């Protein structure tokens, strides 16, 4: 059980559970059993599936990566691999089946797409993580799709403002993945793994991440809370010191990645306060 807990990346649970919970609650206005089941699903089983598959099939390359072996990724002994894969798959099935009974065609299509993206990122034969540019697109889908699923499950009306939020979130996800890939340029190249960062190089990738964060902030101008665009400022400030980074010094980006993990909690708190404000404004 300890291995399952570690490989599920507890520090990242909130990054998938919160988007679903917030989207479903704002769209439905209720905290019902579907909200609870969905939140638990995206809190633990979803992350166990995503990172469990990743830790098993990235085992060889992770051995070459100095930052692996802690909160940034487990290095599981080979004898635990089969158990982790089985546990990852089995933990998802009952939740997915129950949720599927509550959703229509659109919601179930989003759920299927979300789970496919989780598997496709690391599983042999697909390995989207080794397909430059598709790696960032898929990684962003991991975090945005729970929110889209929450909206679809609650039968929300997809207005211009809603689409702007989704696109802003997607830009944030792509930027975050791209920046995170910079720190792994050396070990990825040594292991023969391609990524957006190994193809474009450290400096160009950081500039793309910076630009995507900026675009995310601009997109928020078309939402009900345009000031929320200011939430990208901590991310821009975090990435800015690495705009001149080189492939040789790419490992230094790990300092920014560690800050990124904690910045998420700060912005998560501010987003929560914004959501509470929106709910209060809607109460007569």
């Amino acid at each position: 059980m300890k291995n399952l807990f570690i490989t599920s990346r507890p520090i990242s649970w909130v990054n998938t559970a919160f988007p679903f919970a917030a989207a479903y609650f704002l769209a439905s206005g209720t905290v019902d059993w579907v909200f609870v089941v969905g939140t638990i699903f995206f809190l633990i089983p979803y992350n166990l599936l995503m990172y469990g598959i990743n830790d098993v099939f990235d085992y060889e390359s992770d051995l070459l990566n100095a930052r692996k072996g802690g909160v940034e990724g487990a290095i599981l002994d080979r004898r635990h691999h089969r158990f982790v894969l089985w546990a990852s798959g089995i933990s998802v099935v009952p939740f997915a089946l129950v949720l599927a009974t509550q959703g229509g065609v659109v919601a179930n299509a989003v759920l299927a797409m979300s789970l496919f993206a989780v598997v496709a990122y690391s599983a042999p034969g697909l390995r989207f993580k080794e397909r430059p540019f598709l790696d960032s697109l898929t990684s962003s889908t991991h975090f945005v799709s729970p929110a889209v699923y929450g909206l679809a499950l609650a039968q929300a009306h997809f207005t211009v403002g809603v689409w702007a939020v989704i696109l802003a979130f997607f830009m944030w996800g792509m930027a975050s993945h791209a920046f995170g890939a910079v720190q792994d340029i050396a070990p990825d190249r040594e292991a023969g793994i391609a990524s957006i960062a190994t193809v474009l190089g450290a400096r160009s990738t950081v500039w793309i991440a910076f630009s995507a964060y900026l675009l995310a902030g601009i997109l928020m101008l078309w939402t009900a809370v345009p000031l929320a665009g200011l939430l990208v400022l901590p991310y821009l400030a975090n990435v800015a010191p690495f705009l001149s980074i080189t492939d040789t010094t790419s490992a230094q980006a790990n300092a920014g990645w560690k800050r990124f993990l904690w910045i998420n909690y700060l912005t998560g708190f501010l987003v929560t306060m914004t959501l509470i404000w929106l709910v209060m404004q809607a109460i007569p």
Side-chain angles (χ1 to χ4, degrees):
M1 293 302 295
K2 179 181 178 182
N3 285 326
L4 296 181
F5 178 76
I6 294 173
T7 199
S8 68
R9 310 279 210 288
I11 196 172
S12 297
W13 287 358
V14 68
N15 293 337
T16 49
F18 183 80
F20 167 82
Y24 183 86
F25 174 71
L26 286 179
S28 68
T30 60
V31 177
D32 53 14
W33 71 268
V34 177
F35 171 92
V36 174
V37 172
T39 301
I40 294 175
F41 170 67
F42 285 109
L43 186 72
I44 303 175
Y46 184 83
N47 282 289
L48 178 58
L49 179 68
M50 178 161 58
Y51 294 118
I53 294 174
N54 183 263
D55 286 344
V56 168
F57 294 112
D58 278 13
Y59 177 74
E60 298 292 344
S61 59
D62 283 350
L63 289 175
L64 302 174
N65 196 328
R67 73 183 183 89
K68 297 296 184 176
V71 296
E72 297 182 62
I75 297 182
L76 303 172
D77 190 281
R78 288 185 184 277
R79 68 178 186 274
H80 300 305
H81 287 187
R82 185 181 296 274
F83 172 70
V84 168
L85 290 177
W86 274 103
S88 299
I90 291 173
S91 67
V92 163
V93 172
F95 286 91
L97 290 177
V98 170
L99 289 170
T101 65
Q102 302 304 304
V105 174
V106 174
N108 287 339
V110 174
L111 179 60
M113 176 201 68
S114 183
L115 292 176
F116 172 76
V118 164
V119 174
Y121 187 74
S122 302
L126 294 170
R127 296 289 287 179
F128 285 4
K129 69 165 293 174
E130 294 189 43
R131 303 176 189 276
F133 305 104
L134 184 58
D135 55 350
S136 290
L137 288 168
T138 307
S139 178
S140 187
T141 301
H142 294 162
F143 303 101
V144 178
S145 60
V148 177
Y149 177 63
L151 293 170
L153 194 59
Q155 298 182 343
H157 180 53
F158 285 75
T159 64
V160 172
V162 170
W163 279 115
V165 170
I166 292 172
L167 289 174
F169 193 8
F170 201 83
M171 288 296 103
W172 171 88
M174 289 187 63
S176 300
H177 176 273
F179 179 64
V182 171
Q183 63 192 325
D184 291 331
I185 286 178
D188 279 353
R189 284 177 175 166
E190 185 177 353
I193 295 176
S195 73
I196 186 173
T198 62
V199 170
L200 295 180
R203 185 173 301 174
S204 295
T205 305
V206 172
W207 271 101
I208 286 178
F210 186 88
S211 301
Y213 279 135
L214 184 60
L215 179 57
I218 294 173
L219 283 167
M220 291 302 293
L221 295 175
W222 280 268
T223 71
V225 281
L227 286 178
L230 295 176
L231 293 176
V232 302
L233 292 179
Y235 295 101
L236 291 173
N238 185 46
V239 170
F242 304 99
L243 290 174
S244 297
I245 200 170
T246 65
D247 288 10
T248 304
T249 61
S250 57
Q252 294 177 8
N254 181 245
W257 182 252
K258 288 179 178 177
R259 287 195 298 270
F260 163 83
L261 296 175
W262 293 109
I263 289 172
N264 284 342
Y265 283 91
L266 169 63
T267 55
F269 169 76
L270 295 175
V271 168
T272 301
M273 294 300 100
T274 301
L275 294 177
I276 291 175
W277 178 81
L278 285 173
V279 171
M280 294 300 292
Q281 292 298 307
I283 297 176

